[in-house]
Amino acid sequence: MKAKTKKNPYAVSWKKDWQKNKTVYLIFLPVFLYFLIFHYLPMFGLVMAFQDFSLAKGVFRSPFNGLDNFIELFSGEAFPNALKNTLIMAAFSLTIGFAAPIVFALLITSVKNKKLRRTCQTISYLPNFVAAVVVTSLVKMFLTYDGPLTALLTSLGFEQQNWLANDKPPVFWVINCLMGVWQSFGYGSILFVASIMNINGDLHEAAAIDGATRWQRIWKITIPSIMPMIVMMFVLQIGLIFKTGSDKILLLYMPQTYSVADCLYTYTYRLGFGSSPDFGLAAASGLFQSVAGTVLLLLSNKLSRKWSDASLY
């Protein structure tokens, strides 16, 4: 006689699950359709990266040319410069830009007055909801030849100029970094503030009784307690280094600053929508950024799990 197999008590048929969670599935349906239509279906266009794409022939009739687009991309004169600028601006973002929300979270959680703390937090969140077009317009207004920040820098001994037209490193890189910090440090601190507020207060009280200073308590208790959150956010940030802030760069840069401002995202945009568009080359550039970002994400997660015992997954 065949042995009776035990039924998994947690196994539920789709029919029963649908009857039980029908409302949840219906709520999730618009989200599923959004990602399917705007994120997954357009991925079919990646085939253009391996074609001598012609708009008249379309995806199905354009001839395949293997890796010719990638060879042309990597051997082009503008690509190495765009890659260099991308990596440099990513380094600014992963250091100054990433540290700013953590520092702000440490400072804001040390404020004892709840009303003052919440007011400061609310004010710091506001720039995140300002559109990139508005942010870049403000930057242009403040840093133009007669702008207020330009006047301040001139009074401090710097040359009066349109700072956004300055093609000397690291002027544009610093402007881009500080602009990103101003817009995102408050909103980016939300998770860190929540993690700090969830730390057991008894640890700080015991350390204070033992004579630990505020800095020692931050270094020995607060930072180790939020380290898993820091690692998770850092790993995610590495996966987005090719794209973060690129919309504002596209609105700020100009031909005279291409040497320091052109990044892979803006370079790809010009390939696809410039005066002589090459959709195959633009698709190859976009595919390179996606693959490189994924590899960096996996590598950074593996290294963080090996060195700090904390990882994204």
Side-chain angles (χ1 to χ4, degrees), residues 175-189:
I175 292 173
N176 178 65
C177 177
L178 295 180
M179 178 177 57
V181 168
W182 173 78
Q183 188 176 21
S184 62
F185 81 95
Y187 192 79
S189 68

Side-chain angles (χ1 to χ4, degrees), residues 78-122:
F79 179 81
N81 181 66
L83 180 60
K84 179 198 72 174
N85 292 332
T86 301
L87 295 177
I88 291 175
M89 286 187 278
F92 274 91
S93 177
L94 291 174
T95 51
I96 301 174
F98 183 76
I102 301 174
V103 173
F104 179 73
L106 294 172
L107 292 174
I108 202 68
T109 51
S110 65
V111 177
K112 301 300 182 183
N113 189 313
K114 289 186 178 181
K115 187 175 182 180
L116 176 61
R117 183 173 68 240
R118 290 172 180 173
T119 302
C120 293
Q121 284 181 279
T122 302

Side-chain angles (χ1 to χ4, degrees), residues 18-180:
W18 167 258
Q19 292 175 349
K20 183 179 179 181
N21 302 303
K22 178 168 58 177
T23 304
V24 177
Y25 283 117
L26 292 176
I27 293 174
F28 175 70
L29 182 60
V31 179
F32 171 76
L33 291 176
Y34 168 79
F35 279 97
L36 178 66
I37 296 172
F38 295 103
H39 289 268
Y40 287 98
L41 290 181
M43 290 178 66
F44 177 74
L46 292 176
V47 71
M48 292 189 296
F50 306 95
Q51 290 181 321
D52 182 13
F53 181 79
S54 170
L55 196 60
K57 296 180 180 179
V59 175
F60 297 101
R61 291 189 296 168
S62 296
F64 283 88
N65 59 1
L67 300 177
D68 288 353
N69 288 329
F70 292 93
I71 295 173
E72 183 179 353
L73 176 70
F74 297 143
S75 60
E77 296 180 358
F79 179 81
N81 181 66
L83 180 60
K84 179 198 72 174
N85 292 332
T86 301
L87 295 177
I88 291 175
M89 286 187 278
F92 274 91
S93 177
L94 291 174
T95 51
I96 301 174
F98 183 76
I102 301 174
V103 173
F104 179 73
L106 294 172
L107 292 174
I108 202 68
T109 51
S110 65
V111 177
K112 301 300 182 183
N113 189 313
K114 289 186 178 181
K115 187 175 182 180
L116 176 61
R117 183 173 68 240
R118 290 172 180 173
T119 302
C120 293
Q121 284 181 279
T122 302
I123 294 174
S124 68
Y125 299 159
L126 295 179
N128 182 75
F129 301 101
V130 180
V133 175
V134 178
V135 173
T136 53
S137 297
L138 290 172
V139 172
K140 290 177 181 178
M141 181 179 67
F142 275 83
L143 290 174
T144 189
Y145 187 83
D146 297 320
L149 278 181
T150 301
L152 175 62
L153 293 172
T154 303
S155 67
L156 295 175
F158 292 93
E159 178 186 354
Q160 186 175 6
Q161 58 183 294
N162 179 1
W163 287 95
L164 291 174
N166 190 318
D167 61 349
K168 296 178 181 178
V171 174
F172 186 89
W173 303 332
V174 173
I175 292 173
N176 178 65
C177 177
L178 295 180
M179 178 177 57

Side-chain angles (χ1 to χ4, degrees), residues 266-308:
T266 55
Y267 175 63
T268 304
Y269 178 86
R270 291 203 315 278
L271 287 176
F273 301 98
S275 55
S276 55
D278 189 329
F279 294 105
L281 205 57
S285 179
L287 181 58
F288 166 77
Q289 295 175 62
S290 299
V291 172
T294 303
V295 171
L296 288 174
L297 176 66
L298 296 175
L299 181 61
S300 61
N301 186 74
K302 183 177 180 180
L303 292 177
S304 66
R305 184 170 59 245
K306 179 179 179 181
W307 292 342
S308 64

Side-chain angles (χ1 to χ4, degrees), residues 106 204 213-224:
L106 294 172
H204 285 281
T213 63
R214 176 174 293 184
W215 168 249
Q216 288 173 331
R217 296 199 301 271
I218 290 175
W219 187 252
K220 298 294 184 179
I221 298 175
T222 305
I223 293 180

